[in-house]
Amino acid sequence: MTDWRLAFSEMNLLTKQTDEFYEKMLYKEALRTGFYEFQAARDKYRELCVVGMHRDLVLQFIEWQALMLSPICPHLSEHIWTEIGKSGLIVNAKWPTAGPVDMVPIKVSSYLMNTAHEFRLKLKNYLTPPKAKKGAAPVEKPTLAIILVAKLYPQWQQVILGTMKTIYEENKNQFPDNRVFSEKFKDHADLKKYVKKVMPFVAGVKERVAAEGASAMRTSLDFNELDVLKQFADYLVNTLDMENIEIKPTDEAGEGMNVEDIVPGQPFIVFRREPSVTVQFVNPIPMSGLFQCDVPIMEGDSVVKIAKRLKRTERGIKDINRVQLWRYDDIVLGPRKMVLFNKPTDAKTQIPSNACFSIDVKANQAFVTADSKRVELGAQVIYLVV
């Protein structure tokens, strides 16, 4: 599922809602959906779109929002209309027609935002433990996040969800008193091992139903949670400021990880700090707007991973596919010589895209392996954006 599809689905929904509010003369609500929430949808798209926003979609966004705001802000909307190259007056333009609203991408978008928010809170708690002793060294910033995703609810939770859904529908979409559930579940054979967890789980389900509706009792999501997280892994890396992220189903969790409480829609995250060796990356091209920066090299890194780290540090890099890495042929004298601006790659060898990096933490050395040949990387590497 592409990031532009998420944004376009939200645009269709908000445009339709704004049109309905205007029809009912609810101008405050029309301003909320046509401006504030429309802007929030644009910001969300910008965050999710790591490689760059789609030009045509951005222009359509501006056009639709100018049209929807024209009854409230006619002069500003008219100015924007001319700025995007439209002819004629905006008051004579056709009102935007929203396409069919696909709720699945909207649910995916909401899921990603909520999940990223929860992950950021957990990272903050990880870095600021509540019982840290006075004068204790601060917790080192993690570099790796492991995300575990459950495909199904545990059997005992599926039993509760199925029973609650049946009772909810029989009771005209309302929940009875908790005593009804307590009596229903107390002698159930599948729940005897989980007696203390049953009623807290019931209370949590009731809260989610109050916020999300009856869909909160479904035992599966409308989308493949694992695939969505993997597709937007770069967004998670950026928002959490991690070097690497691993996304796994719960049945691939390592030893010692408690996966019993992980359920669909609520992935679990673990933070770790992986060993690395820091290498200085320098761009020798004058007036390029690109500078030198320190980048950690980790075991098993690829050129693409390092280019992504460079991009997060150097905002001037827009496309990682245009990044080239060059190592010095002489790792001792090479960095000490002045780089010729018209020949920046002299006495250097380009690191191929299929190269693999390795490290020796004790010796503080990084190596690169290409075509079955392993060579030391040195303390400095040249990067070019071609």
Side-chain angles (χ1 to χ4, degrees):
M1 188 173 294
T2 56
D3 41 37
W4 68 262
R5 185 182 168 194
L6 304 185
F8 190 61
S9 297
E10 289 202 72
M11 286 172 58
N12 282 333
L13 176 63
L14 293 171
T15 301
K16 184 178 180 181
Q17 290 176 342
T18 304
D19 189 41
E20 292 172 353
F21 288 137
Y22 273 127
E23 290 288 339
K24 298 174 182 177
M25 293 189 289
L26 299 173
Y27 301 118
K28 185 178 180 180
E29 296 301 310
L31 182 63
R32 175 177 61 82
T33 55
F35 179 70
Y36 294 106
E37 293 187 8
F38 218 69
Q39 290 289 107
R42 188 277 317 268
D43 295 343
K44 191 187 302 182
Y45 172 52
R46 183 179 58 200
E47 288 183 34
L48 292 174
C49 193
V50 178
V51 297
M53 303 170 74
H54 196 288
R55 182 178 183 275
D56 292 341
L57 185 60
V58 173
L59 289 175
Q60 186 172 359
F61 168 88
I62 298 172
E63 178 185 338
W64 282 16
Q65 189 174 52
L67 286 166
M68 288 190 293
L69 293 179
S70 59
I72 300 174
C73 311
H75 300 89
L76 177 62
S77 299
E78 188 65 57
H79 175 72
I80 295 173
W81 189 254
T82 56
E83 284 292 310
I84 60 176
K86 297 294 182 178
S87 58
L89 297 174
I90 194 170
V91 294
N92 296 325
K94 186 179 178 182
W95 190 258
T97 303
V101 178
D102 187 352
M103 291 305 298
V104 173
I106 294 174
K107 290 179 181 179
V108 169
S109 178
S110 177
Y111 164 80
L112 284 169
M113 293 297 106
N114 293 336
T115 300
H117 176 68
E118 290 296 323
F119 287 170
R120 287 192 293 268
L121 290 178
K122 290 179 180 178
L123 177 60
K124 183 179 178 180
N125 293 335
Y126 175 90
L127 293 172
T128 55
K131 296 183 180 179
K133 294 182 179 179
K134 187 176 180 180
V139 178
E140 287 190 302
K141 182 178 174 295
T143 57
L144 172 67
I146 302 174
I147 300 173
L148 300 176
V149 182
K151 297 178 181 178
L152 297 170
Y153 281 90
Q155 181 61 33
W156 69 274
Q157 292 183 357
Q158 292 187 43
V159 170
I160 295 175
L161 287 170
T163 305
M164 290 184 69
K165 185 177 181 181
T166 301
I167 294 175
Y168 181 80
E169 292 171 350
E170 291 175 350
N171 204 38
K172 299 180 179 179
N173 295 339
Q174 289 184 341
F175 285 120
D177 190 81
N178 278 347
R179 286 177 296 180
V180 175
F181 292 115
S182 181
E183 289 293 324
K184 191 79 173 176
F185 296 135
K186 70 176 184 178
D187 296 322
H188 200 291
D190 293 332
L191 305 179
K192 287 183 178 180
K193 291 172 57 179
Y194 309 97
V195 174
K196 293 183 179 180
K197 295 183 178 181
V198 170
M199 292 312 296
F201 181 73
V202 169
V205 172
K206 291 174 73 173
E207 289 179 4
R208 294 203 304 273
V209 170
E212 306 169 19
S215 60
M217 291 182 286
R218 294 183 57 181
T219 56
S220 62
L221 303 180
D222 292 325
F223 51 88
N224 189 313
E225 186 179 3
L226 187 66
D227 288 348
V228 166
L229 289 175
K230 285 183 176 180
Q231 183 176 350
F232 291 94
D234 287 343
Y235 161 69
L236 295 174
V237 166
N238 287 344
T239 194
L240 296 174
D241 195 20
M242 292 287 116
E243 302 299 341
N244 285 316
I245 279 186
E246 296 178 6
I247 303 170
K248 306 175 181 179
T250 50
D251 51 14
E252 294 181 13
E255 292 184 8
M257 287 189 176
N258 182 15
V259 299
E260 185 179 324
D261 296 328
I262 305 174
V263 298
Q266 298 178 28
F268 182 73
I269 190 166
V270 179
F271 298 105
R272 290 180 183 171
R273 183 170 180 83
E274 295 291 287
S276 63
V277 171
T278 300
V279 174
Q280 188 179 66
F281 283 71
V282 178
N283 182 274
I285 307 301
M287 296 179 291
S288 66
L290 302 173
F291 304 96
Q292 71 181 35
C293 56
D294 293 336
V295 176
I297 305 294
M298 300 181 183
E299 188 71 27
D301 272 347
S302 64
V303 172
V304 172
K305 284 186 177 181
I306 292 175
K308 286 180 179 179
R309 284 189 204 128
L310 269 172
K311 184 176 183 291
R312 292 205 308 276
T313 305
E314 275 294 344
R315 298 297 181 179
I317 300 175
K318 302 301 181 183
D319 185 0
I320 62 170
N321 295 316
R322 297 177 57 192
V323 175
Q324 291 182 353
L325 305 182
W326 293 75
R327 62 175 179 83
Y328 285 97
D329 293 336
D330 186 338
I331 62 173
V332 177
L333 295 179
R336 301 182 183 184
K337 295 179 180 178
M338 181 70 71
V339 177
L340 300 176
F341 294 145
N342 58 340
K343 296 180 180 179
T345 59
D346 272 9
K348 302 173 189 69
T349 301
Q350 184 177 357
I351 301 175
S353 58
N354 62 346
C356 181
F357 294 83
S358 56
I359 59 173
D360 184 339
V361 178
K362 290 183 179 180
N364 196 32
Q365 292 177 328
F367 301 88
V368 59
T369 302
D371 300 326
S372 302
K373 184 180 179 182
R374 184 174 184 260
V375 295
E376 188 177 347
L377 196 59
Q380 190 178 98
V381 171
I382 296 295
Y383 74 94
L384 304 175
V385 180
V386 297

